Amino acid sequence: MNLEILTPEKKLFSGEVFGVQLPGITGLFEVLDKHAPLVSALKSGRVKVLKDKSNHLAFYEIQGGFVEVLNDKTTVLVEGATVVG
């Protein structure tokens, strides 16, 4: 699936991924390939990007925002974010 992580200032990530784990306001959840359409609020926390099935990962600390999943594309809109290790 295609993933984009966007802040008001810049695009932090854009590319094909296996999945992404997000800090929803009621707890962590994961979006994988072919996920049903979804819109959810996000709280501050860590986003884990699963780049492929071989467990290549990337992490981002976000300040809260929203996620939209539609037609195998996941768009994460956040107030601010930083890359973590």
Side-chain angles (χ1 to χ4, degrees), residues 10-85:
K10 62 183 175 179
K11 185 184 296 187
L12 277 180
F13 182 91
S14 180
E16 291 295 315
V17 299
F18 179 67
V20 61
Q21 186 180 72
L22 300 155
I25 57 172
T26 58
L28 288 174
F29 66 96
E30 196 164 87
V31 176
L32 299 173
D33 202 25
K34 310 239 186 305
H35 197 285
L38 165 80
V39 173
S40 178
L42 302 174
K43 65 180 181 179
S44 296
R46 183 169 285 192
V47 173
K48 179 167 75 172
V49 178
L50 310 163
K51 291 186 174 183
D52 56 36
K53 293 180 183 179
S54 300
N55 285 332
H56 291 102
L57 306 172
F59 295 94
Y60 299 88
E61 277 300 321
I62 65 166
Q63 296 175 4
F66 294 91
V67 61
E68 177 189 54
V69 180
L70 187 62
N71 297 328
D72 218 27
K73 179 176 181 179
T74 301
T75 305
V76 179
L77 305 169
V78 294
E79 296 169 22
T82 56
V83 178
V84 179

